[in-house]
Amino acid sequence: MADWTDNLPEAARDYLEGKRLDEVECIISDLPGIARGKALPASKFAKQKHFHLPDSIFFQTITGDWGEAAGETGFIEQDMILVPDMTTASAAPWTGDWTLQVIHDAYDRDMKPIPFSPRNVLKRVVEAYAERGLVPVVAPEMEFYLVARNTDPGQAIQPMMGRSGRPAAARQAYSMTAVDEFGPVIDDIYDFAEAQGFEIDGITQEGGAGQLEINLAHGDPIQLADEVFYFKRLIREAAMRHNCFATFMAKPIAEEPGSAMHIHHSILDSTTGKNVFSDDDGNETDAFYHFIGGMQRHLPSAIAVLAPYVNSYRRYVKDHAAPINLDWGRDNRTTGIRVPLAGPEARRVENRLAGMDCNPYLGIAVSLACGLLGLEEQQMPEPECKTDSYQGDGQADVPPVLGDALDLFDEAPELHALLGPEFARVYSIVKRAEYEEFLQVISPWEREHLLLNV
C-alpha cells in the first residue's frame, strides 16, 4: 500500500489489510445530502492534495435542476478547492473492488470555506459554541423504511416482502419477530457499518410497515453528521442487495407513520467537561431551560431546514409519536421537544421535529443554532407539558406547508447570522425552486376528484 494509507483511521486500515487499494471516492454533501464528487484511481489520489468541483452543485435542486442563483446576472460558476479530511476515510464495502470514501471540505480560491457547503455550515455553528467556551454533543436517531422495489413513480410505495414471504407488518413496534423478517438486510447493514468503523447503538422495529430505527452513540456533531451521511448510503446499498429499497422520505406510505431524525443535544463546558444542563447537585440549570426556550422561539424559523420537502409536512400529524407543536415535556413523546429519562451527567434535550429527509449536517446545525440562541437570549420556555400535548391546538407551531416555512426562514436574521447569511440566501433560492416545480405537478387526487366534479 502507498505510504499515505498508514495514517488512515483504524477501520479503514483493517479493511485494506493485505489488499491493494484500487479506488478513492472523493465526496461532498450537496444541499439535499446527495454525495457528489469524483472517483479516482488510488495512485492518482495519492499524488494530489486536492481536486476541483464547480460551486454550482450547491444550487442544484433535488430534481437535478438549478436554483435561480445559478442564472443570476453576474453569477460566474467557479471551481471550488476540495480538500480531503482523512479522518473520514471509510470503506465502501459494497463495491466490487477495494475502495475508500473520503469526505472533503470545500474552499474558494483564497482557501476560505464555501459558505453554502453543508459541512461548513455545521462547522460554523460548532465554532460559535467553541467561542463561548461550550462543546455541543449530539446523538441522532435514524428512522427509515425498507420497501418493495418501486420503479414507477405513479404507483404507491408498498412494504417489502419479509423473510416469511409476507409483506412487512405494521403496528409491530419493538417486535423482534418483525426485525427478524429483515434479517438478511440488517446483517449487511451491521457488516457494512463494522467495515466502516461505525458504532450502532441499536436497531429496532418502529411502528410502520417495514420501518426500522438505528440509534447512534452520542458524540461530536460533525463526526455524527458524517456518519449519518455515510449511513444513508450504506443502508441503501444493503437494501439493494436484497431486491428492496431503503427510503428516507419523511412520509413514504400514506397510512403509516413518518420517519424522523430525532436529535439529542447536551452541552459541555469546554474547561471542566461538565454538562451545563446540570449543576453540581444534579439539578437542572438555567442553561437547560434557556436551551429549550431557544428551541421554542426559533424552531419555527428552522422548520424549512428540518423539513425540506413538500412531503416532509405530511409527517406532522397527530399520533404515531409525531410532533405537531413546540411543547416540551419530560419523557413525553407527544411533545416536539422531549427531555428523556437520564441522570444528571447525561441530561439532554431531544428535538423531535427533524425529518429523516433533511440533510444531516444542516439538520444538526440548525437545531444546535436554535438552542444556542436560547442560551444567548436567556429565553425561558413555556411551562412544561405534563399531559397529552395532542389535545391542545399546537398545530400553528409548525408551518403547514413548505412555502410558509420558507417565509419564516427568510425572516430570521438571528438564525442566518449563525448559519451564514450567504448559505441562508442560497438555501432559500434552491428550496423555492423545488417548491415552485412541485406546484406545477397535477396530482392523482386532483384528477380523481376534480376532473368531472367541478
Side-chain angles (χ1 to χ4, degrees), residues 6-74:
D6 294 338
N7 296 320
L8 292 172
E10 182 179 1
R13 292 200 311 271
D14 290 345
Y15 173 72
L16 293 175
E17 186 174 1
K19 312 294 192 307
R20 183 180 68 85
L21 177 63
D22 295 301
E23 188 174 74
V24 178
E25 296 179 344
C26 306
I27 59 177
I28 187 170
S29 167
D30 67 0
L31 288 190
I34 298 170
R36 306 279 180 185
K38 296 180 179 180
L40 302 179
S43 57
K44 183 174 182 180
F45 179 83
K47 295 176 183 177
Q48 59 186 74
K49 295 181 179 180
H50 59 260
F51 77 101
H52 301 98
L53 278 183
D55 58 4
S56 58
I57 65 168
F58 296 118
F59 302 122
Q60 200 164 8
T61 68
I62 193 67
T63 65
D65 291 324
W66 306 91
E68 291 182 6
E72 286 180 356
T73 302

Side-chain angles (χ1 to χ4, degrees), residues 265-266 275 278 340-349:
H265 317 69
S266 55
N275 187 342
S278 301
L341 295 175
E345 292 184 359
R347 181 168 283 124
R348 59 194 186 274
V349 177

Side-chain angles (χ1 to χ4, degrees), residues 321-338:
I324 62 169
N325 56 52
L326 296 174
D327 291 343
W328 78 276
R330 294 174 177 84
D331 197 28
N332 187 339
R333 285 181 169 83
T334 70
T335 59
I337 303 167
R338 172 176 170 259

Side-chain angles (χ1 to χ4, degrees), residues 241-267:
R241 282 194 169 191
H242 299 279
N243 199 37
C244 63
F245 288 168
T247 181
F248 302 95
M249 284 178 65
K251 189 79 166 182
I253 303 175
E255 302 302 323
E256 299 295 333
S259 291
M261 186 182 75
H262 299 152
I263 307 170
H264 295 245
H265 317 69
S266 55
I267 311 297

Side-chain angles (χ1 to χ4, degrees), residues 169-432:
R171 315 297 186 264
Q172 296 296 324
Y174 306 109
S175 165
M176 296 310 301
T177 301
V179 170
D180 290 342
E181 282 286 278
F182 319 120
V185 182
I186 292 175
D187 287 345
D188 276 351
I189 290 173
Y190 274 126
D191 289 344
F192 290 166
E194 182 178 2
Q196 294 189 247
F198 301 150
E199 180 182 351
I200 295 177
D201 217 30
I203 294 182
T204 58
Q205 165 74 25
E206 281 294 315
Q211 187 184 34
L212 298 173
E213 177 179 283
I214 292 179
N215 297 332
L216 302 182
H218 65 275
D220 172 74
I222 299 167
Q223 179 183 341
L224 267 298
D226 288 340
E227 290 191 14
V228 175
F229 176 59
Y230 273 143
F231 255 108
K232 283 190 169 184
R233 191 178 188 195
L234 79 84
I235 291 168
R236 287 192 184 100
E237 292 290 342
M240 291 284 282
R241 282 194 169 191
H242 299 279
N243 199 37
C244 63
F245 288 168
T247 181
F248 302 95
M249 284 178 65
K251 189 79 166 182
I253 303 175
E255 302 302 323
E256 299 295 333
S259 291
M261 186 182 75
H262 299 152
I263 307 170
H264 295 245
H265 317 69
S266 55
I267 311 297
L268 307 182
D269 183 295
S270 60
T271 302
T272 65
K274 293 183 177 179
N275 187 342
V276 303
F277 291 164
S278 301
D279 64 20
D280 291 339
D281 296 323
N283 300 312
E284 295 163 344
T285 61
D286 286 345
F288 167 78
Y289 291 107
H290 294 157
F291 192 93
I292 295 173
M295 286 198 151
Q296 286 189 323
R297 179 176 178 183
H298 294 284
L299 275 175
S301 301
I303 294 296
V305 179
L306 300 174
Y309 305 104
V310 289
N311 176 265
S312 308
Y313 297 81
R314 302 186 189 280
R315 177 178 151 256
Y316 296 133
V317 295
K318 290 185 177 182
D319 302 320
H320 299 310
I324 62 169
N325 56 52
L326 296 174
D327 291 343
W328 78 276
R330 294 174 177 84
D331 197 28
N332 187 339
R333 285 181 169 83
T334 70
T335 59
I337 303 167
R338 172 176 170 259
V339 178
L341 295 175
E345 292 184 359
R347 181 168 283 124
R348 59 194 186 274
V349 177
E350 178 189 9
N351 176 0
R352 299 175 62 80
L353 281 91
M356 195 60 229
D357 54 346
C358 78
N359 181 307
Y361 298 103
L362 300 180
I364 292 172
V366 77
S367 192
L368 285 172
C370 291
L372 182 57
L373 287 171
L375 296 177
E376 291 284 288
E377 298 164 352
Q378 299 186 0
Q379 176 85 14
M380 293 299 289
E382 298 295 322
E384 178 188 359
C385 176
K386 298 182 179 181
T387 59
D388 182 350
S389 73
Y390 293 141
Q391 301 306 311
D393 184 17
Q395 192 70 26
D397 291 343
V398 178
V401 294
L402 178 59
D404 291 352
L406 286 169
D407 289 343
L408 291 174
F409 178 74
D410 287 345
E411 298 165 1
E414 304 98 332
L415 201 58
H416 297 177
L418 282 175
L419 302 175
E422 184 63 9
F423 159 75
R425 184 186 72 85
V426 169
Y427 184 84
S428 180
I429 289 171
V430 170
K431 289 302 165 184
R432 287 192 184 279

